[in-house]
Structure formats: structure tokens, C-alpha cells
Amino acid sequence: MADVTAVKNTAVTTMLRNHQVELPSWAFGNSGTRFKVFGQPGVPRDPYEKAADAAQVHKYTGVAPAMAVHIPWDKVGDYADFARHADSLGIRVGTVNANVFQDDDYKLGSVCNPDPRVRRKALNHLLECVDIMDATGSRDLKLWFADGTNYPGQDDIAARQDRLAEALAAVYGRLGDGQRMLLEYKLFEPSFYTMDVPDWGTALLHCQALGPKAEVVVDTGHHAPGTNIEFIVAMLLKAGKLGGFDFNSRFYADDDLMVGAADPFQLFRIMHEVVKADALITATSGAAASSGSGESGGSGAASPETRVTFMLDQCHNIEPKIPAQIRSVMNVQEATAKALLVDAAALKEAQLAGDVLAAHAVLMDAYDTDVRPLLAELRADMGLAPDPVRAYLASGYPDKIATERIGGAPAGWGA
Ligand code: PSV
Ligand code: MN
């Protein structure tokens, strides 16, 4: 078993202290399934109140200082003012998520639509999102396309790829210095015969054609059951093209449950690949947080191309939202702590010796370590309560928002 006491106040705790998780604004609104949305008390009515809730997650975890926005769900009159509001709460505006899937015009797709008028409309929205990045200081644009077809013959698969490439190139050309474009893939839904960006291969080809500012984002819920996601992560890291994660858990499809809930071992295996590639860098610090485990196939920890954003893409349908976000951040921290505890030298020695069982045991030793005391101590060092969920629940904030947020329309997925 890894010796947790020996790693206190070492590089491991420094990396954990700097490892940031980005929150999705939509996690704080009401959400559900197509069968029912169960409303919750105190849900934010606008993006400003979503930011206030996100700030609570940061307040109790200390490692979640950015909130991703989704446009138009988080449309505001003055984005610079919104960014100042976030700043006054101790957080910042994170990734800008474009939305070209909730308009009647997009029935046959957005940037891949056969109709040039619809393609232009979609492109204009993507460009507007870059304007919002400029106004808020956000670094990343995340693109997910619902585009695809339902029936063989419905449209030309290759022609749709050309339309996609054309739109991506136009957006890429609009990116400023230090801005990135993250392209997300999804196996299926809402299109069932073809998705235009169904997998990491398609996303990677587009990003490679575009250049260094384009990287792939891995949404853990967007794969076929049984897919080895850590393999994909390792390959993207080797190519220097892993831009970020949309973390969540899934049992069946795009369930969007709390990360680390369904399969914490998978999350550990993913973070093990991240740690091995020295890619554990926070969005803002830019500081190399090297584990020293070497053998990076990517372009190096200090390289901007390897800066990975660790986002959540979740909805909380039946559980209270703010504590669920806190719990999710803690789940990522626990998996990361375990990944950092892997004895890299012992693992390498066993691997090179062909000692299958010893190599596996090294990995499992780290995974089986109870890192909760280490993380509680880290929080104490950061001036935080050791149990963030308990501290939040005792803070009075849940009652306060339930009492104060009366009237108005509660935010929901899609608004
Ligand atoms: C699509 O399923 C997705 O994962 C994309 O990231 C969207 O932006 C997000 O979900 C919306 O919930
Ligand atoms: Mn996603």
C-alpha cells in the first residue's frame, strides 16, 4: 500500500493544490429526462445566480475557480460585466460552449447542413462565441455538433465533412492569441445513422488539419460501452492534442451522472495516463506540474499544447446540485491523488521485466490507497474545511437561496 504520510507536503500535494476542475453552468439549473424534470428549490434564475452557486463549489473545494458557459443558455446583456461579476465572486468565466442544436433551422444539421443559409447562421453563432471569449477573457471555445443523419442516403457523408472543415477553418481563423478551439465527439444521439463527429479519430483529423490551437475534448459519456477511454487519452496526449475532458459518469449512454460515481477505477486509469504524460497542468497557472514519472509522448508539461482542461459536463436530476458538484470535484481529486501515488519507478521496472503481476500490483496499490485523509489535510492547509459537502450544508446557503430565489423562471437545461 502506498505510504500516504510520506507524500504529505511533497510534489503530490502541490499538484493536487493546483489541479483545477471547471464547472458547467448548466449543472446548477433544473434538469431531467424526457419523462420529467423535477424542479428544486433555490435554483438560479439567470447566469449571475449560476455563477454565485459555482462560487460556492470553489469556496468549499478551493480548486474550482472557473465556470463554463453555454450560449445562448447563458446569454447576458453585457459579457464584460458578467466577467466582472464572476471575478467579484472569486471565480472566472471558463470555456464558452457553443450551441447550434436547439433551433428549428438545425433539423438537418448546423455547419454540415446542406443549406448554405443555415450553415452561415451556425457559423455566425460560433463566431459570436469567440466575441464572448474576447469580452470575458475566456480561453477556450468548445464545439459539439449534433449534426448527422438518420438514414442511409439522407445526405452525402463526405460532403458533410467538407462543410464541417470549412466552418471549423473559419472559426479557427477568428481565434485570437492564446485562444483554443476544443472539438468534442459523440458516438450517437441525436443522430443515429451517422454523427458528423462520432469519434476521436474524426475529431483528431480535423484538429490536425486546423493547427495547434485546435484540440480534442473527451467527454467520458460519449463512447460505446466497454470502450477503453484511457487508451484514447494516451493516444491524444501522445499526439499533443488532448485539449480537455468533459467528465461525467454513464451507465448506458450520455447519462451525465456525477464523475467517478459509476466507475471510479476508470477515472483513476484515465488520470494515470494524464499523470504519466506530465499533463497535469491547471488552466491558468501554466506552471509545469510534473510528476517526474517521465516517458511523455506529448510535447512536454510546460508546452501550451498539452494544457488539459478538466471540465465537468453533468446534470443533477434528483440530487441537490451544489453538493453534487462539490462531490464531483472531490471524486476527480481522489482519482488524481491515487494516480499521483503510483510508484512510477516500480511500475516501469516491473513492466520492463515482463512481470505482469507485479506491474498490475503497483497500479492497484495506488488505487487501493485511501487518499481521503491526505485530501482532508490538504484542505486544512488551504484553510478549508476537511469535509466540503458537510461544510457547505452547514453554511446556511441552501436555505438562503431557497428563501430568496422566489419568483422568476428557474434556469433549466436549454435556458
Ligand atoms: C452533448 O451531449 C454535450 O456533451 C455537449 O458537451 C454539450 O455542450 C453538452 O452535452 C450539453 O449538456
Ligand atoms: Mn460534453
Side-chain angles (χ1 to χ4, degrees):
M1 185 81 59
D3 181 1
V4 176
T5 49
V7 297
K8 275 179 204 160
N9 301 318
T10 64
V12 171
T13 46
T14 306
M15 277 183 274
L16 288 170
R17 188 188 283 263
N18 291 326
H19 182 221
Q20 297 178 354
V21 180
E22 187 170 317
L23 312 176
S25 70
W26 51 100
F28 300 101
N30 281 328
S31 60
T33 66
R34 65 197 170 92
F35 299 102
K36 171 72 180 161
V37 172
F38 297 100
Q40 296 188 15
V43 159
R45 280 91 40 97
D46 59 37
Y48 284 75
E49 291 182 348
K50 289 181 194 174
D53 289 3
Q56 290 292 308
V57 179
H58 181 49
K59 180 175 175 185
Y60 292 100
T61 61
V63 293
M67 181 184 80
V69 293
H70 218 296
I71 308 298
W73 302 343
D74 296 316
K75 225 177 169 78
V76 294
D78 181 342
Y79 287 99
D81 179 68
F82 182 60
R84 279 192 297 275
H85 170 71
D87 189 56
S88 74
L89 295 164
I91 61 170
R92 65 176 187 276
V93 178
T95 305
V96 174
N97 288 253
N99 182 326
V100 282
F101 52 87
Q102 284 189 308
D103 195 295
D104 284 342
D105 270 336
Y106 299 140
K107 187 165 77 171
L108 300 181
S110 62
V111 294
C112 303
N113 197 298
D115 182 345
R117 181 192 65 81
V118 178
R119 294 206 294 277
R120 184 72 232 175
K121 171 177 168 168
L123 176 58
N124 285 344
H125 172 72
L126 304 185
L127 297 173
E128 178 199 359
C129 287
V130 186
D131 293 341
I132 294 169
M133 292 162 72
D134 290 343
T136 56
S138 165
R139 186 189 63 177
D140 294 330
L141 172 68
K142 181 141 66 69
L143 301 177
W144 174 72
F145 297 103
D147 291 51
T149 62
N150 270 357
Y151 295 100
Q154 178 188 322
D155 198 1
D156 186 314
I157 292 174
R160 291 180 73 90
Q161 289 298 312
D162 292 341
R163 296 170 201 151
L164 174 62
E166 196 182 316
L168 292 176
V171 180
Y172 190 88
R174 167 68 184 81
L175 293 175
D177 286 344
Q179 291 180 335
R180 297 191 307 173
M181 171 199 279
L182 305 181
L183 184 57
E184 181 175 354
Y185 59 90
K186 185 177 181 183
L187 175 68
F188 81 108
E189 197 204 19
S191 301
F192 296 105
Y193 170 54
T194 58
M195 288 291 279
D196 289 315
V197 190
D199 52 32
W200 68 279
T202 310
L204 179 60
L205 283 176
H206 281 286
C207 289
Q208 281 176 332
L210 288 163
K213 293 179 185 172
E215 297 189 333
V216 180
V217 61
V218 175
D219 184 314
T220 46
H222 288 186
H223 305 86
T227 299
N228 185 330
I229 299 176
E230 61 269 27
F231 180 86
I232 297 171
V233 169
M235 294 299 284
L236 289 173
L237 283 165
K238 279 188 82 62
K241 282 292 192 191
L242 181 66
F245 289 97
D246 266 7
F247 277 138
N248 50 53
S249 279
R250 49 99 76 184
F251 289 100
Y252 298 99
D254 196 19
D255 311 348
D256 283 346
L257 303 174
M258 291 189 302
V259 61
D263 189 349
F265 186 42
Q266 179 191 61
L267 183 59
F268 162 78
R269 299 191 311 261
I270 290 171
M271 291 311 301
H272 173 56
E273 293 305 322
V274 170
V275 167
K276 268 197 306 159
D278 283 355
L280 201 61
I281 295 176
T282 64
T284 47
S285 72
S290 168
S291 70
S293 52
E295 267 205 343
S296 167
S299 34
S303 161
E305 301 96 275
T306 62
R307 282 190 289 172
V308 177
T309 305
F310 300 87
M311 283 171 275
L312 306 179
D313 181 5
Q314 302 180 174
C315 293
H316 305 294
N317 301 346
I318 58 170
E319 66 276 24
K321 296 161 199 303
I322 298 171
Q325 286 283 290
I326 294 174
R327 173 86 216 190
S328 304
V329 171
M330 293 168 70
N331 286 353
V332 174
Q333 278 188 309
E334 284 180 21
T336 306
K338 291 177 182 200
L340 286 165
L341 289 179
V342 172
D343 184 337
L347 181 61
K348 190 174 216 170
E349 192 186 326
Q351 288 172 341
L352 293 178
D355 193 337
V356 176
L357 290 178
H360 179 60
V362 170
L363 210 63
M364 295 313 293
D365 256 358
Y367 179 67
D368 288 336
T369 307
D370 184 357
V371 294
R372 289 172 300 179
L374 172 71
L375 288 167
E377 227 175 273
L378 174 71
R379 288 185 196 110
D381 278 355
M382 293 170 75
L384 301 169
D387 182 339
V389 172
R390 190 191 287 252
Y392 166 74
L393 292 176
S395 71
Y397 191 82
D399 291 338
K400 180 173 132 60
I401 54 176
T403 316
E404 288 177 0
R405 292 179 182 169
I406 304 292
W413 193 90

